[in-house]
Amino acid sequence: YPNMKCIPAGNFIRGSNNHEKDEKPEQTIYVSEFYMDTYEVTNEDFNKCIDAGKCKECLKNQTCNYIGPRYGKPYMGAKQPIAGVSWYTAKEFCEYMGKRLPTEAEWEKAARGTSGDIYPWGNEPADCTRAVIEENGKKGCGKDKDLPTSDVGTRASGKYGLFDMAGNSWEWVNDFYTKSFEVCGEACSKKDPKGPCDGKEPCPGYERRVLKGGSWWWDKSYARGSKRRHHDPKNYPEYHHFGFRCAKD
C-alpha cells in the first residue's frame, strides 16, 4: 500500500515491568501481519477528507460533542501532523481512507520492534536529534524559544521505516484504556489483542481511549514505546493536541 510499511507477523515484547503500573506486566504478544502509515496524518491529508465531505470540522465556538481538528495557527502547516482531533474524528478519517486505527498492540510493536526496545531507534535515550520532544525546558526542541510540532519525517525513521513514532504528536489507538494489562486480562494478552470489548462501543465500565508516542510538549519519558496515555475519546471539553496514523490489514 502507498505510504505504508508492512509490519511482519510474529511475537513481540509488549509493556514494561520497569516503569509505570499501567504498563505491567511485560509480556510476549503475537500480532498478525498488518500495514502502518509511514507518517503521522498531516493537515494536508486531513483537509482532503474535509473537502470530500467525509470528515467534519468542529471548532471551539460551535456546539458539538467533540472539538477538532485544529490546535491553532502554528500547528496548521501542510506537512505538520494534524493536532486537536478526537478519537472519533481519527476513526472517521481512517475509514475514509479504507483503513482503521491501529490497536495498541500493533502500535507498540511497530514502535518498539520485537525485542522490547524502549524507543524506535533502540535503547539510547531520546533527545532532539532523534525525536521532536521537550528538552532542556524547550518545547518541540526549540532553540531560542518554544516551537510547535515539526513537519513529519524530520528525524530518522525507526523500526520498520516508520517516522515520528516517538514525539511530535500523540497518536490515538483503537483500544479502551485499562489500569494495567494484568487487569485487562485475556482481552489484552490473546493473539491480536484489541483490549476490552475489542474496542467496540458500548463497552460497560470503559470510556477512555489510549494514546501513544509522546509529543513535542513532553520530555523523553513520554516518548517511550510502552508509555500509555488516556483521554476522553471526544477530546472535549478538555481539549488536547492529539493526532494519529492509520493501519490496514
Side-chain angles (χ1 to χ4, degrees):
Y1 299 113
N3 301 314
M4 301 189 86
K5 297 292 190 292
C6 181
I7 314 300
N11 291 324
F12 82 105
I13 297 174
R14 195 271 318 275
S16 174
N17 294 329
N18 301 319
H19 297 285
E20 298 179 33
K21 291 180 179 179
D22 65 354
E23 301 170 30
K24 296 179 179 179
E26 186 174 291
Q27 191 174 9
T28 299
I29 300 294
Y30 184 94
V31 171
S32 298
E33 178 182 283
F34 69 100
Y35 287 80
M36 183 77 107
D37 282 351
T38 305
Y39 301 99
E40 294 170 321
V41 172
T42 65
N43 289 300
E44 182 178 56
D45 298 329
F46 197 86
N47 285 339
K48 294 175 183 176
C49 187
I50 291 177
D51 292 344
K54 301 297 184 181
C55 291
K56 296 181 290 291
E57 201 168 15
C58 191
L59 306 179
K60 284 187 176 182
N61 61 350
Q62 295 176 311
T63 302
C64 307
N65 64 354
Y66 64 89
I67 293 177
R70 292 292 179 263
Y71 200 62
K73 192 172 181 179
Y75 304 89
M76 291 174 63
K79 297 298 183 182
Q80 285 173 270
I82 189 76
V85 295
S86 71
W87 179 90
Y88 295 102
T89 305
K91 180 175 182 287
E92 191 173 56
F93 176 89
C94 290
E95 290 173 352
Y96 162 70
M97 295 295 294
K99 304 176 185 179
R100 58 176 174 77
L101 284 172
T103 66
E104 183 175 8
E106 287 173 337
W107 192 100
E108 192 165 329
K109 180 177 182 178
R112 303 178 70 189
T114 59
S115 57
D117 288 349
I118 298 173
Y119 298 105
W121 52 84
N123 294 312
E124 298 83 8
D127 59 27
C128 280
T129 68
R130 296 184 172 99
V132 181
I133 56 174
E134 182 271 335
E135 187 176 53
N136 299 322
K138 299 296 183 181
K139 310 295 186 183
C141 299
K143 294 181 180 179
D144 299 321
K145 61 180 181 178
D146 294 343
L147 295 174
T149 54
S150 296
D151 287 357
V152 298
T154 62
R155 305 300 192 268
S157 63
K159 300 287 191 297
Y160 308 110
L162 302 174
F163 292 85
D164 297 306
M165 292 293 284
N168 215 10
S169 178
W170 284 104
E171 299 183 23
W172 287 110
V173 296
N174 197 61
D175 300 36
F176 284 106
Y177 176 76
T178 58
K179 292 182 178 179
S180 71
F181 295 122
E182 182 178 14
V183 169
C184 181
E186 185 183 2
C188 290
S189 61
K190 63 184 179 181
K191 178 182 176 181
D192 295 322
K194 298 178 181 178
C197 305
D198 285 345
K200 298 175 182 177
E201 295 182 339
C203 188
Y206 298 93
E207 295 180 354
R208 298 168 80 84
R209 300 276 184 169
V210 178
L211 296 118
K212 303 286 285 183
S215 78
W216 92 99
W217 188 263
W218 298 98
D219 67 27
K220 61 185 179 183
S221 66
Y222 289 81
R224 292 184 292 100
S226 60
K227 172 69 179 175
R228 309 175 75 209
R229 183 173 180 174
H230 56 92
H231 196 62
D232 184 330
K234 296 186 297 294
N235 198 20
Y236 177 84
E238 190 181 357
Y239 171 60
H240 288 295
H241 45 261
F242 300 146
F244 65 102
R245 74 180 75 209
C246 304
K248 191 174 178 70
D249 293 338

